[in-house]
Amino acid sequence: MDVLFDNLDLYGPGFLTTVELFALAAVGSLIWGTILAMLRVSPVPVFRAAATTYVTLFRNTPLTLIFFFFALAFPLLKIVQISFFTAAVTALILYTSAFVCEVLRSGINTVPVGQAEAGRALGLTFGQILGSVVLPQAGRTVVPPMVSTMIALLKNTTVAAGFSVVEAGAIQSYLSERGYNVFVGMLWVALFFIILVIPMTLLQRSLEKRWSVAR
Amino acid sequence: MRIRTLAVGLMAGALALTACGKEGSPTDSGAQAPQQTAVQGVDVPGSPTFAKIKAEGKVTIGVKEDQPGLGYKDPTTNKYTGFDIEIAKLVAAKLGFGEDKITYKAVPSAGREQAIANGDVAYYVGTYTINDNRKKQVGFAGPYYTAGQGLLVKKDNTDITSKDTLKGKKVCSVTGSTPIQRVREQGLTEPGNIVELQNYSQCIGQLDQGQVQALTTDDAILKGYAAQEPDKFKLVGEPFSKEPYGIGIAKDDKALRDKVNDILQAAIDDGTWQKIYDNTLGKSGSPATAPKIERY
Protein backbone atom coordinates (compact mmCIF):
# COMPACT_ATOMS: atom_id res chain seq x y z
CA MET A 1 0.00 0.00 0.00
CA ASP A 2 2.86 2.35 0.87
CA VAL A 3 4.26 2.10 -2.63
CA LEU A 4 0.94 3.35 -4.00
CA PHE A 5 0.23 6.11 -1.49
CA ASP A 6 3.78 7.44 -1.35
CA ASN A 7 3.80 7.79 -5.11
CA LEU A 8 0.31 9.03 -5.92
CA ASP A 9 2.02 11.90 -7.75
CA LEU A 10 3.29 9.25 -10.18
CA TYR A 11 0.24 7.01 -10.50
CA GLY A 12 -2.29 9.84 -10.85
CA PRO A 13 -0.77 11.79 -13.75
CA GLY A 14 0.65 8.58 -15.20
CA PHE A 15 -2.71 6.91 -15.60
CA LEU A 16 -4.37 10.18 -16.64
CA THR A 17 -1.90 10.36 -19.54
CA THR A 18 -2.60 6.70 -20.35
CA VAL A 19 -6.34 7.38 -20.50
CA GLU A 20 -5.80 10.50 -22.63
CA LEU A 21 -3.55 8.61 -25.03
CA PHE A 22 -6.07 5.79 -25.24
CA ALA A 23 -9.15 8.00 -25.74
CA LEU A 24 -7.59 10.07 -28.51
CA ALA A 25 -6.06 7.05 -30.25
CA ALA A 26 -9.28 5.02 -29.96
CA VAL A 27 -11.44 7.71 -31.57
CA GLY A 28 -8.82 8.40 -34.22
CA SER A 29 -8.22 4.78 -35.13
CA LEU A 30 -11.95 3.95 -35.24
CA ILE A 31 -12.52 6.79 -37.72
CA TRP A 32 -9.41 6.16 -39.85
CA GLY A 33 -9.92 2.38 -39.66
CA THR A 34 -13.52 2.71 -40.91
CA ILE A 35 -12.37 4.87 -43.82
CA LEU A 36 -9.72 2.27 -44.66
CA ALA A 37 -12.28 -0.54 -44.55
CA MET A 38 -14.53 1.41 -46.91
CA LEU A 39 -11.61 1.93 -49.28
CA ARG A 40 -10.78 -1.77 -49.17
CA VAL A 41 -14.24 -2.78 -50.40
CA SER A 42 -14.74 0.13 -52.76
CA PRO A 43 -15.25 -0.50 -56.48
CA VAL A 44 -12.25 1.68 -57.39
CA PRO A 45 -9.12 -0.52 -57.83
CA VAL A 46 -6.68 2.26 -56.89
CA PHE A 47 -8.44 2.84 -53.56
CA ARG A 48 -8.45 -0.88 -52.82
CA ALA A 49 -4.77 -1.21 -53.64
CA ALA A 50 -3.80 1.83 -51.56
CA ALA A 51 -5.75 0.61 -48.49
CA THR A 52 -4.39 -2.92 -48.85
CA THR A 53 -0.83 -1.60 -49.01
CA TYR A 54 -1.44 0.54 -45.95
CA VAL A 55 -2.85 -2.32 -43.91
CA THR A 56 -0.08 -4.72 -44.94
CA LEU A 57 2.58 -2.16 -44.11
CA PHE A 58 1.32 -1.03 -40.71
CA ARG A 59 -0.01 -4.36 -39.51
CA ASN A 60 3.36 -5.98 -40.12
CA THR A 61 5.54 -3.24 -38.64
CA PRO A 62 6.29 -3.49 -34.92
CA LEU A 63 4.65 -0.69 -32.99
CA THR A 64 7.96 0.28 -31.43
CA LEU A 65 9.40 0.99 -34.87
CA ILE A 66 6.46 3.22 -35.74
CA PHE A 67 7.03 5.04 -32.45
CA PHE A 68 10.72 5.26 -33.27
CA PHE A 69 9.93 6.90 -36.55
CA PHE A 70 7.50 9.48 -35.20
CA ALA A 71 9.42 10.35 -32.06
CA LEU A 72 12.98 10.37 -33.36
CA ALA A 73 13.15 10.37 -37.15
CA PHE A 74 10.10 12.45 -38.13
CA PRO A 75 11.38 15.67 -36.48
CA LEU A 76 14.48 15.47 -38.68
CA LEU A 77 12.33 15.82 -41.79
CA LYS A 78 11.49 19.31 -40.51
CA ILE A 79 7.95 19.20 -41.95
CA VAL A 80 6.20 20.20 -38.77
CA GLN A 81 7.39 20.12 -35.17
CA ILE A 82 5.18 17.90 -33.05
CA SER A 83 5.29 17.15 -29.34
CA PHE A 84 6.13 13.66 -28.14
CA PHE A 85 2.52 13.25 -27.01
CA THR A 86 1.20 14.08 -30.48
CA ALA A 87 3.77 11.73 -31.96
CA ALA A 88 2.56 8.96 -29.64
CA VAL A 89 -1.10 9.50 -30.53
CA THR A 90 -0.25 9.54 -34.25
CA ALA A 91 1.76 6.34 -34.03
CA LEU A 92 -1.00 4.57 -32.09
CA ILE A 93 -3.71 5.70 -34.53
CA LEU A 94 -1.76 4.65 -37.63
CA TYR A 95 -0.97 1.26 -36.13
CA THR A 96 -4.34 0.42 -34.58
CA SER A 97 -6.40 1.59 -37.55
CA ALA A 98 -4.89 -1.20 -39.66
CA PHE A 99 -6.37 -3.71 -37.21
CA VAL A 100 -9.67 -1.83 -36.94
CA CYS A 101 -9.90 -1.91 -40.74
CA GLU A 102 -9.45 -5.67 -40.88
CA VAL A 103 -11.89 -6.32 -38.04
CA LEU A 104 -14.52 -4.22 -39.77
CA ARG A 105 -13.85 -5.86 -43.13
CA SER A 106 -14.44 -9.26 -41.60
CA GLY A 107 -17.79 -7.89 -40.45
CA ILE A 108 -18.57 -6.62 -43.93
CA ASN A 109 -17.91 -10.11 -45.26
CA THR A 110 -20.66 -11.49 -43.02
CA VAL A 111 -23.32 -9.36 -44.74
CA PRO A 112 -24.85 -11.45 -47.54
CA VAL A 113 -23.97 -10.17 -51.01
CA GLY A 114 -27.67 -10.37 -51.90
CA GLN A 115 -28.35 -7.38 -49.67
CA ALA A 116 -25.92 -5.17 -51.58
CA GLU A 117 -27.35 -6.42 -54.87
CA ALA A 118 -30.86 -5.68 -53.65
CA GLY A 119 -29.74 -2.20 -52.69
CA ARG A 120 -28.26 -1.66 -56.13
CA ALA A 121 -31.48 -2.90 -57.75
CA LEU A 122 -33.33 -0.24 -55.79
CA GLY A 123 -31.02 2.39 -57.28
CA LEU A 124 -28.89 3.11 -54.19
CA THR A 125 -25.37 4.38 -54.79
CA PHE A 126 -22.29 2.55 -53.44
CA GLY A 127 -22.02 5.03 -50.56
CA GLN A 128 -25.68 4.58 -49.66
CA ILE A 129 -25.45 0.78 -49.72
CA LEU A 130 -22.35 0.87 -47.52
CA GLY A 131 -23.64 3.52 -45.15
CA SER A 132 -27.23 2.35 -44.65
CA VAL A 133 -27.15 -1.38 -45.37
CA VAL A 134 -23.74 -2.99 -44.96
CA LEU A 135 -21.74 -1.03 -42.36
CA PRO A 136 -24.44 -0.91 -39.65
CA GLN A 137 -24.76 -4.68 -39.78
CA ALA A 138 -20.99 -5.18 -40.06
CA GLY A 139 -20.37 -2.95 -37.03
CA ARG A 140 -22.83 -4.90 -34.92
CA THR A 141 -21.27 -8.22 -35.82
CA VAL A 142 -17.73 -7.24 -34.88
CA VAL A 143 -18.32 -5.86 -31.38
CA PRO A 144 -16.23 -8.51 -29.54
CA PRO A 145 -13.12 -8.40 -31.77
CA MET A 146 -13.35 -4.60 -31.96
CA VAL A 147 -13.34 -4.35 -28.16
CA SER A 148 -10.37 -6.73 -28.10
CA THR A 149 -8.56 -4.44 -30.51
CA MET A 150 -9.32 -1.48 -28.26
CA ILE A 151 -8.07 -3.35 -25.18
CA ALA A 152 -4.88 -4.15 -27.08
CA LEU A 153 -4.60 -0.45 -27.91
CA LEU A 154 -4.98 0.45 -24.23
CA LYS A 155 -2.06 -1.78 -23.33
CA ASN A 156 -0.02 -0.64 -26.33
CA THR A 157 -0.07 2.92 -24.95
CA THR A 158 2.68 1.83 -22.54
CA VAL A 159 5.16 1.78 -25.43
CA ALA A 160 5.01 5.58 -25.31
CA ALA A 161 6.95 5.49 -22.03
CA GLY A 162 10.13 4.90 -23.99
CA PHE A 163 9.53 8.01 -26.05
CA SER A 164 9.23 10.79 -23.51
CA VAL A 165 5.53 10.38 -22.72
CA VAL A 166 5.22 9.81 -18.99
CA GLU A 167 2.29 7.41 -18.63
CA ALA A 168 1.60 4.19 -16.76
CA GLY A 169 4.47 2.40 -18.47
CA ALA A 170 7.00 4.88 -17.10
CA ILE A 171 5.96 4.37 -13.47
CA GLN A 172 8.32 1.42 -13.08
CA SER A 173 11.45 3.42 -13.95
CA TYR A 174 10.45 6.24 -11.62
CA LEU A 175 9.73 3.87 -8.73
CA SER A 176 13.04 2.11 -9.16
CA GLU A 177 14.93 5.41 -8.97
CA ARG A 178 12.96 6.49 -5.94
CA GLY A 179 14.01 3.27 -4.25
CA TYR A 180 10.65 1.57 -3.98
CA ASN A 181 9.89 -2.05 -4.60
CA VAL A 182 9.28 -2.18 -8.34
CA PHE A 183 7.52 -5.52 -8.18
CA VAL A 184 4.81 -4.27 -5.82
CA GLY A 185 4.60 -1.08 -7.87
CA MET A 186 3.97 -3.04 -11.04
CA LEU A 187 1.22 -5.08 -9.35
CA TRP A 188 -0.62 -1.81 -8.77
CA VAL A 189 -0.10 -0.83 -12.39
CA ALA A 190 -1.52 -4.20 -13.48
CA LEU A 191 -4.50 -3.75 -11.16
CA PHE A 192 -5.24 -0.30 -12.59
CA PHE A 193 -5.14 -1.70 -16.10
CA ILE A 194 -7.68 -4.34 -15.11
CA ILE A 195 -9.88 -1.60 -13.66
CA LEU A 196 -9.61 0.31 -16.94
CA VAL A 197 -10.49 -2.78 -18.99
CA ILE A 198 -13.58 -3.76 -16.94
CA PRO A 199 -15.83 -0.96 -18.27
CA MET A 200 -14.82 -1.88 -21.82
CA THR A 201 -15.77 -5.50 -21.22
CA LEU A 202 -19.11 -4.42 -19.75
CA LEU A 203 -19.69 -2.17 -22.75
CA GLN A 204 -18.94 -5.09 -25.04
CA ARG A 205 -21.52 -7.29 -23.28
CA SER A 206 -24.26 -4.72 -23.35
CA LEU A 207 -23.62 -3.80 -26.99
CA GLU A 208 -23.54 -7.47 -27.96
CA LYS A 209 -26.95 -7.97 -26.38
CA ARG A 210 -28.52 -4.83 -27.78
CA TRP A 211 -27.01 -4.93 -31.24
CA SER A 212 -27.10 -8.60 -32.05
CA VAL A 213 -28.25 -9.06 -35.65
CA ALA A 214 -31.11 -11.51 -36.10
CA ARG A 215 -30.22 -13.80 -38.93
CA MET B 1 23.97 -17.24 -29.26
CA ARG B 2 22.71 -17.17 -32.80
CA ILE B 3 19.46 -15.64 -31.64
CA ARG B 4 21.34 -12.90 -29.84
CA THR B 5 23.41 -12.13 -32.93
CA LEU B 6 20.21 -11.98 -34.94
CA ALA B 7 18.60 -9.68 -32.36
CA VAL B 8 21.59 -7.36 -32.39
CA GLY B 9 21.55 -7.36 -36.19
CA LEU B 10 17.85 -6.55 -36.28
CA MET B 11 18.27 -3.79 -33.74
CA ALA B 12 21.17 -2.32 -35.64
CA GLY B 13 19.05 -2.49 -38.78
CA ALA B 14 16.16 -0.82 -37.01
CA LEU B 15 18.40 1.94 -35.76
CA ALA B 16 19.89 2.46 -39.19
CA LEU B 17 16.40 2.62 -40.73
CA THR B 18 15.29 5.26 -38.30
CA ALA B 19 18.52 7.22 -38.66
CA CYS B 20 19.40 6.69 -35.02
CA GLY B 21 22.53 4.71 -35.53
CA LYS B 22 25.74 6.05 -34.16
CA GLU B 23 28.84 6.22 -36.22
CA GLY B 24 32.34 5.54 -35.10
CA SER B 25 33.70 2.78 -32.98
CA PRO B 26 33.72 3.01 -29.20
CA THR B 27 36.91 3.59 -27.32
CA ASP B 28 38.67 0.49 -26.13
CA SER B 29 39.07 1.95 -22.68
CA GLY B 30 40.19 -0.54 -20.12
CA ALA B 31 42.34 -2.49 -22.53
CA GLN B 32 45.50 -1.69 -20.58
CA ALA B 33 43.96 -1.84 -17.14
CA PRO B 34 45.99 -3.82 -14.61
CA GLN B 35 45.56 -7.56 -14.83
CA GLN B 36 44.00 -9.13 -11.76
CA THR B 37 45.13 -12.50 -10.54
CA ALA B 38 42.71 -14.62 -8.61
CA VAL B 39 43.53 -15.06 -4.93
CA GLN B 40 43.52 -18.65 -3.79
CA GLY B 41 41.73 -20.09 -0.78
CA VAL B 42 39.41 -17.20 0.01
CA ASP B 43 36.62 -17.74 2.47
CA VAL B 44 33.88 -15.41 3.61
CA PRO B 45 32.31 -17.07 6.63
CA GLY B 46 28.62 -16.37 7.11
CA SER B 47 27.99 -15.18 3.57
CA PRO B 48 25.24 -17.12 1.75
CA THR B 49 26.10 -15.44 -1.56
CA PHE B 50 29.74 -16.46 -1.30
CA ALA B 51 28.81 -20.01 -0.34
CA LYS B 52 26.62 -20.18 -3.44
CA ILE B 53 29.20 -18.88 -5.91
CA LYS B 54 31.92 -20.99 -4.31
CA ALA B 55 29.78 -24.09 -4.83
CA GLU B 56 29.07 -23.15 -8.44
CA GLY B 57 32.70 -22.34 -9.12
CA LYS B 58 31.80 -19.21 -11.07
CA VAL B 59 30.49 -15.77 -10.36
CA THR B 60 27.76 -13.84 -12.18
CA ILE B 61 28.16 -10.08 -11.95
CA GLY B 62 25.46 -7.57 -12.83
CA VAL B 63 26.74 -4.71 -15.00
CA LYS B 64 25.62 -2.12 -17.52
CA GLU B 65 26.43 -2.67 -21.18
CA ASP B 66 25.60 0.67 -22.74
CA GLN B 67 27.86 3.11 -20.94
CA PRO B 68 31.16 3.74 -22.69
CA GLY B 69 34.05 4.06 -20.26
CA LEU B 70 32.04 2.58 -17.39
CA GLY B 71 30.24 -0.59 -18.39
CA TYR B 72 30.26 -1.19 -22.12
CA LYS B 73 29.79 -4.29 -24.21
CA ASP B 74 31.43 -4.14 -27.60
CA PRO B 75 28.80 -5.64 -29.92
CA THR B 76 31.44 -6.97 -32.31
CA THR B 77 33.67 -8.75 -29.80
CA ASN B 78 31.15 -9.25 -26.94
CA LYS B 79 33.85 -7.99 -24.56
CA TYR B 80 32.99 -5.83 -21.61
CA THR B 81 35.16 -2.81 -20.84
CA GLY B 82 35.15 0.20 -18.56
CA PHE B 83 35.75 1.44 -15.05
CA ASP B 84 32.86 -0.45 -13.45
CA ILE B 85 33.92 -3.65 -15.23
CA GLU B 86 37.48 -3.29 -13.92
CA ILE B 87 36.18 -2.77 -10.38
CA ALA B 88 33.95 -5.84 -10.80
CA LYS B 89 36.95 -7.86 -12.00
CA LEU B 90 39.07 -6.64 -9.10
CA VAL B 91 36.48 -7.73 -6.54
CA ALA B 92 36.01 -11.09 -8.27
CA ALA B 93 39.78 -11.72 -8.30
CA LYS B 94 40.09 -10.96 -4.60
CA LEU B 95 37.19 -13.33 -3.94
CA GLY B 96 39.08 -16.03 -5.80
CA PHE B 97 37.51 -15.89 -9.24
CA GLY B 98 39.73 -15.23 -12.23
CA GLU B 99 38.49 -13.61 -15.41
CA ASP B 100 37.57 -17.01 -16.90
CA LYS B 101 35.20 -17.67 -14.00
CA ILE B 102 33.21 -14.46 -14.49
CA THR B 103 29.89 -14.20 -16.31
CA TYR B 104 28.65 -10.67 -16.90
CA LYS B 105 24.94 -10.09 -16.93
CA ALA B 106 23.64 -6.81 -18.28
CA VAL B 107 20.90 -5.54 -15.99
CA PRO B 108 19.23 -2.18 -16.73
CA SER B 109 18.72 0.27 -13.87
CA ALA B 110 15.07 -0.59 -13.29
CA GLY B 111 15.84 -4.29 -12.81
CA ARG B 112 18.73 -4.01 -10.38
CA GLU B 113 16.98 -4.55 -7.05
CA GLN B 114 15.09 -7.54 -8.42
CA ALA B 115 18.20 -9.13 -9.94
CA ILE B 116 20.06 -8.85 -6.63
CA ALA B 117 17.09 -10.03 -4.56
CA ASN B 118 16.50 -13.02 -6.85
CA GLY B 119 20.15 -14.01 -6.65
CA ASP B 120 20.52 -13.69 -10.44
CA VAL B 121 23.73 -11.80 -9.79
CA ALA B 122 26.21 -12.23 -6.93
CA TYR B 123 26.83 -8.49 -6.89
CA TYR B 124 26.13 -5.50 -9.12
CA VAL B 125 28.58 -2.90 -10.35
CA GLY B 126 26.94 -0.35 -12.62
CA THR B 127 26.65 3.35 -11.68
CA TYR B 128 24.51 2.35 -8.71
CA THR B 129 24.03 5.37 -6.46
CA ILE B 130 23.90 4.59 -2.75
CA ASN B 131 20.91 6.15 -1.00
CA ASP B 132 18.82 5.43 2.06
CA ASN B 133 15.75 4.28 0.16
CA ARG B 134 17.75 1.71 -1.78
CA LYS B 135 19.48 0.54 1.37
CA LYS B 136 16.08 -0.78 2.43
CA GLN B 137 16.23 -3.24 -0.47
CA VAL B 138 19.89 -3.95 -1.12
CA GLY B 139 23.20 -3.76 0.68
CA PHE B 140 25.92 -1.44 -0.59
CA ALA B 141 29.67 -1.79 -0.39
CA GLY B 142 31.74 1.24 -1.23
CA PRO B 143 31.44 3.85 -2.55
CA TYR B 144 34.06 3.02 -5.14
CA TYR B 145 33.52 6.29 -6.99
CA THR B 146 31.80 9.61 -6.35
CA ALA B 147 30.01 11.09 -9.32
CA GLY B 148 27.80 14.18 -9.57
CA GLN B 149 25.07 15.28 -11.94
CA GLY B 150 26.57 17.11 -14.89
CA LEU B 151 25.62 18.52 -18.28
CA LEU B 152 26.82 17.44 -21.70
CA VAL B 153 26.37 19.87 -24.59
CA LYS B 154 27.64 20.22 -28.11
CA LYS B 155 31.19 21.48 -28.40
CA ASP B 156 30.15 24.78 -30.03
CA ASN B 157 27.37 25.52 -27.52
CA THR B 158 27.96 28.69 -25.50
CA ASP B 159 24.41 29.28 -24.12
CA ILE B 160 24.56 26.59 -21.49
CA THR B 161 27.19 27.09 -18.84
CA SER B 162 25.55 25.71 -15.69
CA LYS B 163 22.31 24.22 -14.42
CA ASP B 164 20.87 27.73 -14.05
CA THR B 165 21.09 28.41 -17.78
CA LEU B 166 18.85 25.52 -18.83
CA LYS B 167 15.57 27.53 -18.93
CA GLY B 168 13.97 27.29 -22.37
CA LYS B 169 16.39 24.58 -23.46
CA LYS B 170 15.50 20.99 -24.22
CA VAL B 171 17.12 18.63 -21.74
CA CYS B 172 17.35 14.89 -22.33
CA SER B 173 17.91 11.94 -20.03
CA VAL B 174 16.68 8.41 -19.45
CA THR B 175 13.01 7.81 -18.52
CA GLY B 176 12.44 8.24 -14.81
CA SER B 177 16.14 8.56 -13.93
CA THR B 178 17.10 10.50 -10.82
CA PRO B 179 18.75 13.31 -12.84
CA ILE B 180 15.63 13.96 -14.91
CA GLN B 181 13.43 13.77 -11.78
CA ARG B 182 15.72 16.40 -10.24
CA VAL B 183 15.43 18.63 -13.32
CA ARG B 184 11.66 18.38 -13.08
CA GLU B 185 11.45 18.94 -9.30
CA GLN B 186 13.85 21.88 -9.27
CA GLY B 187 12.20 23.38 -12.35
CA LEU B 188 15.54 23.78 -14.15
CA THR B 189 13.64 23.86 -17.42
CA GLU B 190 9.96 23.88 -18.43
CA PRO B 191 8.11 20.52 -18.24
CA GLY B 192 7.52 20.64 -21.99
CA ASN B 193 11.25 20.78 -22.61
CA ILE B 194 12.03 17.61 -20.69
CA VAL B 195 12.81 14.73 -23.02
CA GLU B 196 12.89 11.22 -21.56
CA LEU B 197 14.17 8.42 -23.79
CA GLN B 198 15.02 4.77 -23.25
CA ASN B 199 18.78 5.06 -23.07
CA TYR B 200 21.62 7.53 -23.18
CA SER B 201 22.68 6.71 -26.73
CA GLN B 202 19.27 7.86 -27.96
CA CYS B 203 19.80 11.12 -26.08
CA ILE B 204 23.28 11.42 -27.60
CA GLY B 205 21.70 11.01 -31.04
CA GLN B 206 19.14 13.73 -30.27
CA LEU B 207 21.88 16.00 -28.94
CA ASP B 208 23.98 15.41 -32.03
CA GLN B 209 21.05 16.24 -34.32
CA GLY B 210 20.20 19.36 -32.33
CA GLN B 211 16.78 18.11 -31.23
CA VAL B 212 17.83 18.65 -27.61
CA GLN B 213 20.44 21.09 -26.30
CA ALA B 214 21.71 19.22 -23.25
CA LEU B 215 22.05 15.74 -21.87
CA THR B 216 22.08 15.47 -18.11
CA THR B 217 23.10 12.60 -15.87
CA ASP B 218 26.04 11.60 -13.66
CA ASP B 219 29.26 13.18 -14.89
CA ALA B 220 30.96 9.77 -14.93
CA ILE B 221 28.61 8.64 -17.69
CA LEU B 222 29.01 11.94 -19.54
CA LYS B 223 32.80 11.70 -19.27
CA GLY B 224 32.56 8.37 -21.05
CA TYR B 225 30.69 9.89 -23.97
CA ALA B 226 32.92 12.97 -24.09
CA ALA B 227 36.00 10.73 -24.13
CA GLN B 228 34.46 8.79 -27.01
CA GLU B 229 33.88 11.85 -29.21
CA PRO B 230 35.88 14.74 -27.75
CA ASP B 231 35.50 16.98 -30.81
CA LYS B 232 31.69 16.76 -30.70
CA PHE B 233 30.66 17.06 -27.07
CA LYS B 234 31.84 18.72 -23.87
CA LEU B 235 30.90 18.79 -20.19
CA VAL B 236 29.89 22.16 -18.74
CA GLY B 237 29.39 23.55 -15.24
CA GLU B 238 30.05 22.13 -11.83
CA PRO B 239 28.47 18.83 -10.79
CA PHE B 240 25.27 19.71 -8.91
CA SER B 241 24.67 16.58 -6.88
CA LYS B 242 26.62 13.86 -5.12
CA GLU B 243 26.22 10.32 -6.41
CA PRO B 244 28.34 7.84 -4.47
CA TYR B 245 28.50 4.66 -6.56
CA GLY B 246 28.26 1.47 -4.55
CA ILE B 247 28.46 -2.23 -5.27
CA GLY B 248 25.01 -3.73 -4.82
CA ILE B 249 24.93 -6.88 -2.67
CA ALA B 250 22.08 -8.94 -1.24
CA LYS B 251 20.59 -6.96 1.64
CA ASP B 252 21.30 -9.30 4.53
CA ASP B 253 24.74 -10.43 3.40
CA LYS B 254 26.79 -8.26 5.76
CA ALA B 255 29.75 -10.67 5.66
CA LEU B 256 30.20 -10.24 1.91
CA ARG B 257 29.63 -6.50 2.19
CA ASP B 258 32.44 -6.17 4.76
CA LYS B 259 34.71 -8.32 2.61
CA VAL B 260 34.09 -6.21 -0.51
CA ASN B 261 34.69 -3.04 1.52
CA ASP B 262 38.05 -4.48 2.62
CA ILE B 263 38.92 -5.27 -1.01
CA LEU B 264 38.06 -1.72 -2.13
CA GLN B 265 39.96 -0.15 0.77
CA ALA B 266 43.05 -2.20 -0.08
CA ALA B 267 42.81 -1.22 -3.76
CA ILE B 268 42.54 2.46 -2.85
CA ASP B 269 45.49 2.23 -0.45
CA ASP B 270 47.88 0.42 -2.79
CA GLY B 271 47.13 2.57 -5.85
CA THR B 272 45.28 -0.07 -7.86
CA TRP B 273 42.15 2.09 -7.83
CA GLN B 274 44.04 5.04 -9.32
CA LYS B 275 45.53 2.80 -12.03
CA ILE B 276 42.09 1.52 -12.97
CA TYR B 277 40.70 5.05 -13.16
CA ASP B 278 43.59 6.36 -15.25
CA ASN B 279 43.15 3.55 -17.76
CA THR B 280 39.39 4.01 -18.17
CA LEU B 281 37.50 7.19 -17.26
CA GLY B 282 40.73 9.07 -16.73
CA LYS B 283 41.20 9.06 -20.49
CA SER B 284 38.59 11.82 -20.69
CA GLY B 285 41.25 14.10 -19.21
CA SER B 286 39.55 14.92 -15.93
CA PRO B 287 41.17 13.67 -12.75
CA ALA B 288 39.43 12.04 -9.81
CA THR B 289 40.30 11.30 -6.22
CA ALA B 290 39.55 8.00 -4.57
CA PRO B 291 36.38 8.00 -2.46
CA LYS B 292 36.18 7.24 1.25
CA ILE B 293 34.63 3.87 2.03
CA GLU B 294 31.52 4.19 4.20
CA ARG B 295 30.84 1.13 6.28
CA TYR B 296 27.44 0.66 7.86
Side-chain angles (χ1 to χ4, degrees):
Chain A
M1 273 319 232
D2 283 356
V3 179
L4 177 65
F5 286 114
D6 290 356
N7 297 289
L8 277 179
D9 59 323
L10 269 185
Y11 283 94
F15 270 94
L16 191 66
T17 314
T18 296
V19 171
E20 279 172 9
L21 269 179
F22 168 69
L24 290 171
V27 172
S29 59
L30 284 174
I31 295 172
W32 180 223
T34 309
I35 296 173
L36 282 171
M38 287 158 75
L39 291 178
R40 282 206 77 167
V41 296
S42 82
V44 186
V46 179
F47 287 175
R48 284 204 303 271
T52 309
T53 312
Y54 177 96
V55 169
T56 311
L57 192 69
F58 278 90
R59 201 166 57 153
N60 294 317
T61 310
L63 179 60
T64 321
L65 277 191
I66 300 176
F67 263 98
F68 240 121
F69 175 79
F70 277 98
L72 303 178
F74 182 75
L76 296 179
L77 300 176
K78 306 233 188 274
I79 301 168
V80 56
Q81 289 300 316
I82 54 172
S83 71
F84 281 104
F85 184 81
T86 316
V89 172
T90 314
L92 285 169
I93 289 177
L94 292 181
Y95 179 77
T96 314
S97 54
F99 292 89
V100 170
C101 164
E102 287 305 272
V103 165
L104 206 54
R105 202 168 62 87
S106 75
I108 292 174
N109 287 340
T110 64
V111 181
V113 187
Q115 293 199 16
E117 285 168 349
R120 210 178 305 147
L122 287 173
L124 297 180
T125 62
F126 171 74
Q128 285 170 322
I129 296 172
L130 206 59
S132 344
V133 180
V134 180
L135 274 185
Q137 297 185 71
R140 289 167 168 207
T141 319
V142 297
V143 168
M146 193 63 87
V147 173
S148 294
T149 308
M150 289 300 119
I151 291 173
L153 165 65
L154 174 66
K155 293 185 283 185
N156 282 341
T157 55
T158 50
V159 177
F163 301 92
S164 207
V165 180
V166 181
E167 37 73 28
I171 290 174
Q172 177 206 11
S173 324
Y174 274 84
L175 280 183
S176 152
E177 291 283 305
R178 288 183 181 186
Y180 284 94
N181 189 320
V182 176
F183 186 66
V184 178
M186 289 314 276
L187 284 180
W188 284 110
V189 172
L191 185 71
F192 281 126
F193 266 104
I194 292 171
I195 292 173
L196 287 180
V197 168
I198 287 172
M200 292 166 74
T201 319
L202 293 178
L203 179 77
Q204 175 190 334
R205 275 202 204 135
S206 100
L207 285 185
E208 257 187 284
K209 259 188 218 145
R210 240 191 300 166
W211 281 3
S212 62
V213 186
R215 285 213 175 93
Chain B
M1 202 61 224
R2 197 186 284 165
I3 291 174
R4 187 179 299 170
T5 319
L6 183 66
V8 168
L10 281 175
M11 266 164 70
L15 288 174
L17 278 173
T18 50
C20 289
K22 266 177 53 60
E23 289 168 13
S25 61
T27 51
D28 57 349
S29 49
Q32 296 99 24
Q35 283 293 316
Q36 307 294 342
T37 39
V39 178
Q40 298 299 315
V42 190
D43 190 27
V44 186
S47 164
T49 312
F50 187 80
K52 187 174 161 244
I53 58 175
K54 190 87 188 165
E56 286 173 358
K58 63 184 181 65
V59 57
T60 306
I61 310 175
V63 292
K64 293 262 175 74
E65 61 177 359
D66 55 354
Q67 293 173 348
L70 282 160
Y72 186 81
K73 182 182 176 187
D74 188 330
T76 52
T77 61
N78 282 340
K79 263 188 70 128
Y80 285 86
T81 55
F83 181 73
D84 284 348
I85 304 293
E86 292 304 324
I87 294 286
K89 262 191 226 166
L90 168 84
V91 172
K94 303 292 179 203
L95 288 176
F97 296 90
E99 223 172 305
D100 52 326
K101 298 278 193 307
I102 299 176
T103 314
Y104 295 107
K105 191 178 165 99
V107 180
S109 293
R112 294 182 290 204
E113 286 81 10
Q114 209 61 43
I116 295 170
N118 291 353
D120 295 342
V121 299
Y123 55 90
Y124 186 94
V125 194
T127 62
Y128 204 179
T129 301
I130 304 173
N131 64 35
D132 291 339
N133 251 331
R134 284 180 183 160
K135 277 183 191 168
K136 289 178 199 156
Q137 294 185 63
V138 290
F140 283 106
Y144 63 91
Y145 186 80
T146 309
Q149 185 168 352
L151 294 167
L152 189 76
V153 297
K154 272 195 155 176
K155 192 91 179 180
D156 54 6
N157 186 312
T158 49
D159 304 354
I160 300 172
T161 50
S162 73
K163 72 180 172 87
D164 304 314
T165 54
L166 287 176
K167 283 260 158 55
K169 305 280 193 295
K170 290 209 174 207
V171 181
C172 188
S173 198
V174 167
T175 310
S177 59
T178 305
I180 207 72
Q181 293 194 41
R182 189 174 287 126
V183 168
R184 183 168 276 137
E185 276 154 21
Q186 297 186 358
L188 298 180
T189 188
E190 297 74 14
N193 280 332
I194 292 173
V195 178
E196 297 179 58
L197 297 176
Q198 279 158 323
N199 50 50
Y200 294 114
S201 26
Q202 283 179 4
C203 278
I204 286 281
Q206 295 276 291
L207 184 62
D208 196 14
Q209 294 155 7
Q211 298 293 322
V212 302
Q213 283 79 50
L215 162 55
T216 185
T217 185
D218 300 352
D219 56 356
I221 298 169
L222 300 178
K223 272 182 199 175
Y225 283 109
Q228 203 178 10
E229 289 176 291
D231 40 333
K232 254 190 190 166
F233 307 115
K234 64 175 180 187
L235 272 85
V236 290
E238 288 292 307
F240 48 100
S241 74
K242 251 186 120 156
E243 312 288 342
Y245 287 167
I247 296 178
I249 293 171
K251 186 172 177 287
D252 302 321
D253 203 337
K254 191 174 184 314
L256 183 63
R257 197 167 80 210
D258 288 340
K259 175 72 183 168
V260 174
N261 275 331
D262 292 342
I263 294 171
L264 290 175
Q265 190 63 58
I268 290 168
D269 292 342
D270 70 8
T272 312
W273 186 92
Q274 194 63 49
K275 255 186 231 151
I276 290 176
Y277 180 83
D278 291 344
N279 281 307
T280 51
L281 283 186
K283 286 182 178 169
S284 66
S286 57
T289 46
K292 209 175 138 3
I293 303 289
E294 286 162 27
R295 289 165 195 269
Y296 68 96

